[in-house]
């Protein structure tokens, strides 16, 4: 059984460790997680100008199975609200069954609908099971729309 809930300060060490493990395993370069920044995000997530969701998936044993973060923004050329899944990661021991992934995805979709979003975007760029994740997203109605590129600035 997987349950999804908002991140709390008590989760910070586990979420930091999860992010660090995930980023170390990625085939692309991501900014290094910073505990102070994550703490401020957890404490002030309800005070951001744009709504933000910080979620964790908890396994039956009480340990964290994954986490997700999403933000809402207004489309630049339309009043449409768009949710962007910034991260959705599942611990290796919980991958392959889809339970933690789908629980987090369901929670983000529900949150986005509550925020009156009409679209959700999710960029797959970790290099960890991206194709399998894309197939799972396709089954849920997500459509591939392009290729993301990134340039790292000094």
């Amino acid at each position: 059984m997987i349950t999804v809930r908002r991140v709390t300060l008590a989760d910070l060490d586990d979420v930091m460790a999860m992010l660090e493990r995930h980023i170390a395993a990625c085939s692309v370069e991501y900014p290094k997680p910073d505990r102070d920044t994550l703490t401020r995000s957890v404490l002030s997530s309800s005070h951001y100008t744009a709504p933000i969701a910080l979620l964790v998936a908890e396994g039956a044993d009480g340990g964290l199975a994954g986490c997700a973060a999403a933000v809402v923004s207004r489309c630049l050329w339309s009043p449409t609200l768009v949710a962007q899944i910034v991260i959705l990661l599942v611990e290796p021991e919980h991958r392959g069954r889809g339970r933690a992934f789908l629980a987090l995805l369901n929670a983000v979709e529900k949150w986005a609908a509550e925020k009156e979003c009409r679209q959700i975007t999710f960029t797959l760029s970790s290099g960890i099971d991206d194709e399998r994740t894309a197939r799972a997203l396709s089954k849920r109605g997500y459509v591939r729309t392009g290729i993301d590129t990134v340039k790292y600035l000094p």
Side-chain angles (χ1 to χ4, degrees):
M1 176 69 141
I2 300 287
T3 54
V4 176
R5 60 177 174 75
R6 291 211 171 261
V7 172
T8 67
L9 288 176
D11 298 318
L12 284 180
D13 289 338
D14 291 336
V15 171
M16 278 296 295
M18 195 182 325
L19 286 168
E20 288 168 349
R21 283 191 301 276
H22 179 77
I23 288 170
C26 287
S27 60
V28 295
E29 182 181 331
Y30 284 100
K32 184 177 187 258
D34 176 74
R35 184 180 175 79
D36 290 339
T37 302
L38 182 60
T39 301
R40 282 193 301 278
S41 295
V42 171
L43 287 173
S44 63
S45 63
S46 63
H47 302 294
Y48 279 102
T49 303
I52 181 171
L54 299 169
L55 307 170
V56 290
E58 208 169 47
D61 64 355
L64 296 188
C67 67
V71 296
V72 171
S73 62
R74 188 165 306 284
C75 182
L76 292 175
W77 55 88
S78 162
T80 301
L81 292 176
V82 177
Q84 178 186 8
I85 299 173
V86 179
I87 190 165
L88 194 160
L89 66 91
V90 175
E91 290 283 53
E93 62 272 18
H94 291 276
R95 291 183 192 150
R97 296 178 294 250
R99 287 186 220 125
F101 176 81
L102 289 176
L104 285 163
L105 189 61
N106 286 338
V108 169
E109 289 176 355
K110 181 180 180 209
W111 172 83
E114 289 169 357
K115 299 298 177 195
E116 299 182 356
C117 293
R118 295 293 168 245
Q119 182 179 5
I120 299 176
T121 63
F122 186 6
T123 300
L124 302 176
S125 61
S126 70
I128 301 172
D129 296 327
D130 286 346
E131 285 304 318
R132 181 171 38 169
T133 303
R135 286 191 301 275
L137 289 168
S138 177
K139 290 177 184 176
R140 296 288 305 244
Y142 288 76
V143 178
R144 288 188 187 206
T145 58
I147 299 171
D148 281 354
T149 59
V150 64
K151 178 179 181 179
Y152 300 102
L153 302 174

